[in-house]
């Protein structure tokens, strides 16, 4: 099968990562995958929510990591309205997924009394914004943690995410918008650099799918995550936590 | 491994289904799995949202199915506060999942100009409320469709859902609350009666999980879904759509 | 006059009370009057709002009782929309009435540092939901208080409520929905088991009513309350506070 | 019994009515009862809500009357916060009562395609704001109707309201704030000029009250309403509808 | 040029000020300029927001002054809807302007631990409501400060505000509604009694305006402010702070 | 006086403009002034709000231009919370100012049935975000209009904005954040390329300011606007409307 942009079924879109895009937060990463562009910033607060504070003497505070996701109005046509009176369901789902995924990487006892907020603002949307937010958000998280100069291993493993799906009956890796909007199955896979699953979310958009199709998609995802992990490592360089 | 309530790893909790629990909506199903109890009602409206109406001459309206999920305050201790000024993220996620899953079963062209709203109100919560809502919601949906007396096949396949997870290192079927709150992996699987996947959502609550663990859970889910499909069929009797 | 369902003007609908309908809150009562069905649960918190705390040394905390009322979407046709962004005026009025009525029965000094929340969720609506909520809510309140094992008399008197009205020119007791929707006068009376008034609310829906009509309705209400008090007593058995 | 301000138990506070206080709406009435001061304005719109429009040929539109109630922040000490993100329960209850009461006076078929909104803004609060709003709101309503020059009887009867209560064991008429805040029973009575009841709302604030106390309060209310009707008539002069 | 109401280009509308219009707040001023009528009340609280409290030993609390602005529904035709679920942009802008302007007059160290809230409720609107709110709000502020009996100079200078604009090509002072709605330039100037600027806001409603037009308007404003300062002084009499 | 960054009092920060930063909207401009960075996108809709539609035969639709302003959470430290349940007052004020200023440039009769929304999202904030939004927003507006290929002059004049203020007693041009936060006067001036005023907003942050200081600031602003107009012209090149 040939894809509309000439990629093979197991080929990622070109990825670029620019660290330090802005200088007003602890970390700022502009990440692109093809035409999808997300600005991931990390802000650090030297406090934690009350339920992360120690309850008994001798205990220490547990750190916290949370995420917010947002599409800028100009990131798509027709213009996306801002969520100014309430947050829509899709946004809520996505930012909960990002936060949950990044938290899987963190040793909160070592992080201690710090809250890190990862903001993923989509500047340009062409499919795969939630998975690119996880992948870029992990880079911002590492840089912010690095800047804190904590001794001990805060980050336990790396985290990356990729979409897979079934387009015209064929499982493919890293769907762009034209593929995503016609896919029969849409699946997001979040894995660690060591090859384990953090989250698997697969949805039949049209017809329900069978067991073999599920397996083929998981295999594609695994190969994509490996490539993304290398890109994260190269980008973070001295801030790579391992 | 022995489970805290004596079940084997692949054993469902006892399920009971009471159709016609109330008489004010098109369908009303009280479904219980162990101590989890959900009231699923189906309301029918003889109209559809504007975007389901025909755009060109000769076309007909596409029906619509949507779902809402809610936990009653007394369904848990401590009391759950009502979502009266905004809906919390978890509720939004769950009701989107229920709606998406049930829509996978429906031929909307045959349903025509009807909107069916499935309300899943949790009266008592002991784990697995979202999957039981899908399983019970499907029964209410079938009964409501049956009552419309539409000729043609509105319901294309049956839909049921079950949770699986990893508790103390062992994959188990149909987690209750004590299991759910200590599970290392939490997974919800929605399948058709014909054995295909509609949705797979697996999350590592603690440590990321490996490929074999994923496969073991999928196998448990498959067996659970088969049993639930039988229960749905028996309960619906003459209203079973196949 | 013969009523549409064959009752005499001073006859209540058949009442049934099921204690322990659910097991997740301190008390759970499913109460039915004809086709109206309300689930009343009582949740207990071992704290009180700040303004109930003692202000001077030597004083003790005053307990608190509050109520919430809600109609489930499937409790009526057409489906009732959920109050998810704001609570509608009718709901607010009703739950304030329920809370006020139940508080009239309580000695808050004896209750001490406990907040009891009575949730009245209407599962099926056929008129008289607010008065049935008071009557059933009182049973849930007593059971919750009983479970606390407080020595001393927390409950000072019993509380029950009933609707009366004028239908086709005749005062009648306990209106169902068809009667309620055509009634010229609609009146809710809340009384103690000892025959005193807690609240009287009468509204001319059509023509204003005269003094004699008011008196006739009050007499019907008194007789209805007496019957409801007996039902409450029988239902509560050992938990009846007197 | 002597009241704290020297009034007899059946004496109203001094009432003053100023028509035309402002000139930007169809009617504007500044009404005072002792230190309670309410500005009642009536705004007219030449349209009605969709559900008041004729459904069948040959029918005509039914008019509509609605009311809003508000306390200005400076109307009380400590300052009352504005209802800017949601309306509090008490406000909702009161404005529903005002609207319901005034609608009882109107023949909507004769009013035709007009919506009249009565705004009751409390400038100074010293008890009895809701009943004074009804009494003053009726004057504004009549003036607005008069200005429309409709032939036929739009206003069927006059409407006035008064509070009664039990203070230190004695039933009294027209409670001011110091009385209201210590009353054992608080009752609002809305009646027509012809002596019939539109609404009766009595609440035991402390101990439940008996039948005789209820009767005594109703008698006081009747006498108060008669005086208020005379005041309305004198104030409206040529705009008095009968 | 002759203005539609016969005023000269540099003539204010007749101003009247009534102190003590209501008695429930620390100060209450009914101010009118032609047909525009605003009720300005000042409420005092013996506390300040957390960020005004002393941070280091030896420091004292800084007082606070804030303002709210609101148009009553009946203050204009067609009726203005109440801001009950959110505050509209214009209202927000205006009340921020009023607060900022009045704060420019206050020595917060001398005011100490008091918060004064100035509420400006427009009873009748005919143009210039925001500037009249500042001018009347200053009178209420002075009266409230006076009533506190603080030794030392809380009020550093007087504050008044006036609108200027360009109507039919000519700069004019104190626009009423008919002028305001056709003005090419609309400008609000807030100045001290000593002739200095607190705020200048000029907006081209139609064509952009040149430097000379700006100067002419500033000169008109200066003369208007001088007259308003005299009126404030006469009205406040013994409460005038200088 | 020397400024903290070495600029002269009448010197702008270095400005850079990147057109086509993203490709998902009709125009996308990344504009920077020193460390302040704003992404201005323009989205076009082929419809207008109802009140811009023709009312009489023979008339044509009037176009519309509106603007929204937002600071990204990572644009400042500490992190700025998102406006997700309500928009804060400052944001409302700023976006109203941007919209008003850009509309002054447009001939809406020529624009016809198009709505252009200018979104100004601040990626990095170091003072002057609102004026840079106007200056960059105008570039995006011109590019969007250019892309519509309308014959006739839609843009009547160019629009740019700059801040001036008084820092340490000296009037200066284009304040950055350290200057802005200590300025005695803060002023925003919006002018056309032809040297006329669209909006002047000056606020005394500390002491009120005199007439001469106002004049000095206006002169600085005029010179700044001239430079910005040149930058806009160079940036837009073939899309410059004159």
């Amino acid at each position: 099968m040939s894809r509309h942009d000439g990629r093979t079924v197991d080929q990622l879109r070109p990825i670029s990562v620019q660290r330090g895009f802005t200088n007003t937060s602890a970390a700022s990463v502009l990440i692109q995958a093809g035409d999808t562009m997300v600005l991931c910033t990390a802000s650090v607060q030297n406090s934690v929510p009350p339920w992360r504070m120690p309850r008994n003497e001798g205990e220490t505070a547990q750190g916290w990591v949370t995420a917010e996701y947002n599409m800028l109005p100009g990131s798509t046509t027709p213009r996306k309205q801002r969520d100014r009176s309430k947050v829509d369901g899709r946004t809520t789902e996505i930012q909960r997924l990002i936060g949950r995924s990044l938290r899987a990487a963190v040793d909160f006892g070592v992080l201690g009394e710090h809250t890190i907020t990862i903001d993923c603002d989509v500047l340009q949307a062409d499919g795969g914004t939630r998975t690119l937010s996880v992948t870029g958000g992990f880079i911002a998280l590492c840089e912010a943690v690095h800047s804190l100069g904590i001794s001990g291993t805060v980050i336990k493993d790396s985290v990356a995410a990729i979409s897979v799906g079934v387009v015209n009956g064929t499982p493919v890796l890293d769907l762009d918008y034209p593929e995503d909007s016609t896919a029969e199955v849409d699946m997001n896979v979040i894995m660690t650099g060591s090859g384990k699953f953090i989250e698997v979310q697969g949805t039949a958009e049209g017809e329900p799918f069978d067991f073999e199709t599920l397996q083929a998609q998981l295999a594609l995802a695994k190969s994509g995550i490996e490539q993304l992990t290398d890109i994260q490592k190269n980008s973070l360089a001295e801030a790579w936590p391992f």
Side-chain angles (χ1 to χ4, degrees), chain A residues 76-122:
Chain A
T76 189
T77 291
R79 178 179 181 271
K80 183 177 187 304
Q81 240 184 304
R82 294 179 195 271
D83 289 341
R84 280 188 157 170
S85 57
K86 64 168 196 167
V87 183
D88 72 33
R90 177 185 168 274
T91 295
T92 302
E93 255 187 58
I94 292 177
Q95 68 187 16
R96 281 164 57 91
L97 171 68
I98 300 169
R100 216 159 54 218
S101 299
L102 296 178
R103 282 192 290 275
V106 179
D107 185 327
F108 289 112
V110 182
L111 178 57
E113 201 165 341
H114 297 101
T115 297
I116 303 180
T117 304
I118 305 296
D119 285 288
C120 302
D121 284 90
V122 178

Side-chain angles (χ1 to χ4, degrees), chain A residues 15-19 29-32 136 139 231-232 235-236:
Chain A
I15 310 279
S16 80
V17 178
Q18 181 178 350
R19 284 172 60 199
V29 173
L30 185 71
I31 188 166
Q32 287 185 259
I139 299 175
I231 289 167
Q232 290 175 321
S235 158
L236 276 165

Side-chain angles (χ1 to χ4, degrees), chain A residues 19-238:
Chain A
R19 284 172 60 199
F21 181 69
T22 54
N23 63 19
T24 32
S25 54
S28 166
V29 173
L30 185 71
I31 188 166
Q32 287 185 259
D35 275 350
T36 292
M37 189 194 298
V38 183
L39 176 59
C40 303
T41 57
S43 301
V44 178
Q45 215 180 327
N46 294 324
S47 62
V48 289
W51 48 280
R52 305 295 284 179
M53 289 301 291
R55 293 187 196 173
N56 304 307
E57 223 176 314
E59 292 179 356
T60 55
Q62 297 284 309
W64 188 239
V65 169
T66 185
E68 292 193 1
Y69 168 94
N70 184 47
M71 285 176 66
L72 264 63
S75 68
T76 189
T77 291
R79 178 179 181 271
K80 183 177 187 304
Q81 240 184 304
R82 294 179 195 271
D83 289 341
R84 280 188 157 170
S85 57
K86 64 168 196 167
V87 183
D88 72 33
R90 177 185 168 274
T91 295
T92 302
E93 255 187 58
I94 292 177
Q95 68 187 16
R96 281 164 57 91
L97 171 68
I98 300 169
R100 216 159 54 218
S101 299
L102 296 178
R103 282 192 290 275
V106 179
D107 185 327
F108 289 112
V110 182
L111 178 57
E113 201 165 341
H114 297 101
T115 297
I116 303 180
T117 304
I118 305 296
D119 285 288
C120 302
D121 284 90
V122 178
L123 305 190
Q124 193 168 281
D126 187 39
T129 62
R130 84 185 67 189
T131 48
L132 195 64
S133 294
V134 171
T135 302
F138 178 75
I139 299 175
L141 173 63
C142 287
E143 182 164 338
V145 165
H146 185 72
S147 74
L148 287 171
I150 294 169
S151 66
T153 305
V154 174
I155 304 293
K156 299 183 293 182
D157 202 343
S158 71
V159 177
I162 195 65
S163 75
V164 285
V166 178
V167 177
N168 296 326
T170 309
V172 295
L173 180 69
D174 189 17
L175 288 65
D176 63 12
Y177 180 75
E179 291 176 329
D180 191 52
S181 56
T182 61
E184 292 108 56
V185 182
D186 182 14
M187 196 157 178
N188 294 297
V189 180
I190 295 133
M191 295 180 75
T192 62
S194 61
K196 295 196 169 174
F197 294 101
I198 291 174
E199 185 120 3
V200 175
Q201 291 197 342
T203 304
E205 299 289 344
E207 291 304 297
F209 55 97
D210 59 23
F211 189 75
E212 289 67 37
T213 306
L214 175 59
Q215 301 300 328
Q217 292 179 88
L218 291 172
L220 283 173
K222 187 164 185 294
S223 109
I225 295 286
E226 283 163 6
Q227 298 173 59
L228 291 169
T229 304
D230 283 346
I231 289 167
Q232 290 175 321
K233 186 173 178 179
N234 290 336
S235 158
L236 276 165
E238 84 296 347

